[in-house]
Amino acid sequence: MALSLRSLLATFTVIAFTLLSSVEGHNPRRPSKAGPVDLSKYSPTLSNGSASLPAPVGMTLKALTLGRGTQNYTCEPGSTAAPKAIGAVAELLDVTPLIPLLPPKKVMKILNQLPSYLINYSFDQVSNSSIHACGHHYFTAAGVPTFDLGKKGLLSGKKAASITAPHGVGVDWLQLTAVAPSTLKAVYRVQTVKGKAPKSCKHQPAAIQVQYAAQYWFYA
């Protein structure tokens, strides 16, 4: 079921209502003022059905976000080799305000569907919406994947583990662990949608940007 732009981008409240109605056939709860969300109740899906990422043992979930951006690649002129990955950029959107609006037993099912909806909307549409952006993902000049969540923390990471996305529909699921300077310990990229490079550089430009969306779970 297609969602209207207004339904997706007006607020996370509207997203919750629309998804819950279309997917589950329920009448969603109306929004109410809620206290801090207990993120300890939630954890990412770490298995693709045949392999799993390591669990975040001894760590505390500090932020749950959706990333919307591009995976970036380069090609040598005239080459038929596979494109070379050079990093990514993404805006990180805070998922936490959505959680109190959802029935407890349906939270993860709905959150896991959000990247598939978010990928359908442009960066400008997301940036100009009232969905709260809580941080940015980028690679430094030295090639270090970095996540700046402002007051929630900073993660400079290195890849610790990876598995293929289910059905091969998105870039790999990852566990990144911290390197200096960092105030967070780890991040998981899961529920990825798109972002994979073309199989060959043939007929491709020198710089390739492939749009993607994903969940990012941050731990300290």
Side-chain angles (χ1 to χ4, degrees), residues 153-164:
L154 175 73
L155 180 75
S156 298
K158 63 178 180 180
K159 184 167 71 173
S162 67
I163 59 175
T164 57

Side-chain angles (χ1 to χ4, degrees), residues 14-168:
V14 178
I15 294 176
F17 291 171
T18 307
L19 281 178
L20 197 58
S21 297
S22 63
V23 175
E24 297 299 334
H26 292 299
N27 292 320
R29 290 186 281 174
R30 295 193 174 276
S32 60
K33 292 183 179 180
V37 176
D38 181 5
L39 291 178
S40 67
K41 297 179 180 179
Y42 307 102
S43 59
T45 300
L46 299 179
S47 174
N48 63 8
S50 60
S52 298
L53 295 172
V57 178
M59 293 186 283
T60 301
L61 181 61
K62 291 297 183 180
L64 171 53
T65 71
L66 293 176
R68 177 70 174 89
T70 61
Q71 294 288 318
N72 302 325
Y73 306 89
T74 60
C75 279
E76 293 291 334
S79 172
T80 58
K84 179 182 178 181
I86 58 170
V89 294
E91 189 166 25
L92 302 174
L93 310 174
D94 189 8
V95 173
T96 309
L98 173 60
I99 293 175
L101 307 176
L102 305 177
K105 294 183 179 180
K106 305 298 181 183
V107 169
M108 289 310 307
K109 184 171 185 177
I110 294 173
L111 294 184
N112 286 347
Q113 292 183 12
L114 287 179
S116 295
Y117 288 102
L118 192 64
I119 195 66
N120 295 312
Y121 298 94
S122 72
F123 305 121
D124 286 343
Q125 289 169 330
V126 173
S127 297
N128 293 330
S129 74
S130 56
I131 300 175
H132 176 57
C134 63
H136 300 279
H137 170 37
Y138 59 92
F139 278 60
T140 67
V144 179
T146 303
F147 302 83
D148 186 351
L149 298 182
K151 294 180 180 180
K152 292 186 178 181
L154 175 73
L155 180 75
S156 298
K158 63 178 180 180
K159 184 167 71 173
S162 67
I163 59 175
T164 57
H167 313 297

